[in-house]
DNA sequence: CCGTACCCTAGTTT
DNA sequence: AAAACTAGGGTAC
């Protein structure tokens, strides 16, 4: 295994690895102690991307890694380490809630997951809690992915489109996918057969790209926005889930519209068109964690 | 564009 | 303590 360390002062605005990986953006990393989403400090995280194993740990000043390949360029891409968080914050509107959210969760970055696993994990996310979505992806990898031996331990790749397309709906249901099982199979089949790829959306104007992704079964506007933001680099995408909708009702009532499309347009304008997805991720996370604290009182 | 059914399970309430 | 009940990052029809 190769090893290295990325100096965090080379990542403008810093990095908070745990916030980035445990804020419901990516379901493709696992924590070595298997205690994701339980609120305690993170340790080492690992994933397999393009058949390369990558394990990371954050220290005060670096992001340490060990990998089957030179992981620095991989990590820069996966964790968007070159995004200038201060510039992104400065480019947005001068809003008290937004400012507070940015300050409270410094170093949280938007992820840039590989598109197929991202698409599948967000199809699985419908009506589901983060810990269970994560569990589903782990089960899919264990049942349908390839085993990979690292230091005497077996890890599993995320299944390919072919592997999921050839799985039976029953077998997928047994991964606790529920009614999402046929969606996953159908979508994997569309990609395996070459009929469509998530990347077909690349290059399209944002709303056209969102529309394009809804061709996949199990993908409506919300899931499409997640894939655009967390995999295809559309930083203006704002996934309108129930949490964000209620936040909009409370904090930005003037943006509340009848349709997904119109509410999306209004909130993007309100949060700053270019980086609305970043703003959304911070606000969403801020309100969520604040809610947890209040609930504990 | 609108309403409803959908699969599963942890957490809560009877 | 076992059995209902509820809701949880939507989408297809």
């Amino acid at each position: 295994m190769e090893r290295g360390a990325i100096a965090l002062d080379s990542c403008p605005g810093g990095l908070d690895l745990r916030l980035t990986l445990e804020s419901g953006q990516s379901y493709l990393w696992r924590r070595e102690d298997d205690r994701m989403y339980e609120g305690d400090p993170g340790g080492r995280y690992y994933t397999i991307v393009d058949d390369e194993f990558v394990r990371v740990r954050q220290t005060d000043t670096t992001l340490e890694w060990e990998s089957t390949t030179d992981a620095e360029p991989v990590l820069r891409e996966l964790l968007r380490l070159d995004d200038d968080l201060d510039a992104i914050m400065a480019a947005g509107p001068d809003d008290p809630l937004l400012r507070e959210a940015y300050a409270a969760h410094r170093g949280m970055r938007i992820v840039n997951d590989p598109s197929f696993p991202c698409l599948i994990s967000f199809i699985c996310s419908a009506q589901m809690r983060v810990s269970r979505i994560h569990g589903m992806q782990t089960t899919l990898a264990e049942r349908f992915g390839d085993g990979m031996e690292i230091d005497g331990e077996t890890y599993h790749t995320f299944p390919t489109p072919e592997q999921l397309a050839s799985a039976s709906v029953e077998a997928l249901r047994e991964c606790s996918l529920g009614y999402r099982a046929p969606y996953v199979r159908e979508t994997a089949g569309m990609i395996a057969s070459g009929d469509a790829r998530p990347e077909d959306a690349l290059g399209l104007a944002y709303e056209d790209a969102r529309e394009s992704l809804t061709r996949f079964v199990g993908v409506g506007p919300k899931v499409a926005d997640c894939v655009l933001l967390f995999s295809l680099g559309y930083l203006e995408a704002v996934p309108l889930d129930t949490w964000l909708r209620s936040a909009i009702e409370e904090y930005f009532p003037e943006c509340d519209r009848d349709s997904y499309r119109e509410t999306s347009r209004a909130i993007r304008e309100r949060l700053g068109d270019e980086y609305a997805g970043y703003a959304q991720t911070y606000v969403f996370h801020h309100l969520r964690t604040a809610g947890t604290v209040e609930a504990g009182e």
Side-chain angles (χ1 to χ4, degrees), chain A residues 61 79 111 119 121 133 211 213-214 271:
Chain A
T61 57
L79 303 178
V111 300
L119 180 62
S121 55
I133 302 164
E211 178 65 25
L213 286 173
T214 61
L271 294 177

Side-chain angles (χ1 to χ4, degrees), chain A residues 207-224:
Chain A
E207 288 191 350
D208 294 333
R210 188 174 66 200
E211 178 65 25
S212 163
L213 286 173
T214 61
R215 81 181 73 200
F216 294 108
V217 184
V219 179
K222 188 270 177 184
V223 171

Side-chain angles (χ1 to χ4, degrees), chain A residues 91-93 95 98 102 238 244 252 255 266-277 279-281 283:
Chain A
D95 177 90
L98 193 46
Y102 273 126
V238 176
L244 195 62
F252 308 105
C255 295
I267 195 65
R268 275 182 282 134
E269 186 175 359
R270 182 67 180 75
L271 294 177
D273 277 308
E274 199 177 0
Y275 300 116
Q280 170 272 150
T281 298
V283 168

Side-chain angles (χ1 to χ4, degrees), chain A residues 25-168:
Chain A
Q25 304 180 48
S26 175
Y27 298 97
L28 308 178
W29 291 79
R30 295 193 62 185
R31 224 166 88 171
E32 211 149 59
D33 62 5
D34 225 13
R35 290 175 59 82
M36 270 177 113
Y37 313 118
E38 291 180 28
D40 52 358
R44 296 206 293 180
Y45 297 83
Y46 60 88
T47 189
I48 299 175
V49 180
D50 292 333
D51 290 325
E52 303 288 357
F53 178 84
V54 182
R55 183 158 47 201
V56 293
R57 180 176 75 114
Q58 177 164 18
T59 70
D60 288 343
T61 57
T62 66
L63 180 63
E64 292 182 355
W65 59 262
E66 52 187 330
S67 173
T68 49
T69 185
D70 174 11
E72 174 151 353
V74 177
L75 288 165
R76 284 202 174 277
E77 190 173 328
L78 284 178
L79 303 178
R80 300 191 66 101
L81 296 179
D82 296 320
D83 282 352
D84 186 334
L85 299 182
D86 297 319
I88 287 169
M89 183 168 28
D94 186 13
D95 177 90
L97 176 63
L98 193 46
R99 200 169 272 280
E100 192 182 301
Y102 273 126
H105 309 288
R106 292 197 67 78
M108 181 166 64
R109 288 173 181 274
I110 297 290
V111 300
N112 191 201
D113 278 342
S115 63
F116 179 66
C118 178
L119 180 62
I120 296 300
S121 55
F122 281 99
I123 287 173
C124 291
S125 77
Q127 298 282 135
M128 206 43 65
R129 295 179 184 80
V130 288
S131 60
R132 280 201 58 208
I133 302 164
H134 189 260
M136 288 178 188
Q137 309 318 303
T138 303
T139 308
L140 286 176
E142 287 171 354
R143 304 252 173 107
F144 303 108
D146 296 318
M148 190 171 175
E149 291 285 322
I150 302 288
D151 292 343
E153 299 255 356
T154 303
Y155 298 88
H156 295 271
T157 61
F158 193 85
T160 61
E162 291 75 15
Q163 285 172 324
L164 287 184
S166 62
S168 71

Side-chain angles (χ1 to χ4, degrees), chain A residues 245-261:
Chain A
R245 279 174 181 272
S246 65
I248 289 170
E249 234 176 276
E250 186 170 353
Y251 296 95
F252 308 105
E254 72 281 7
C255 295
D256 199 4
R257 302 285 201 279
D258 291 334
S259 69
Y260 189 101
R261 184 165 78 156

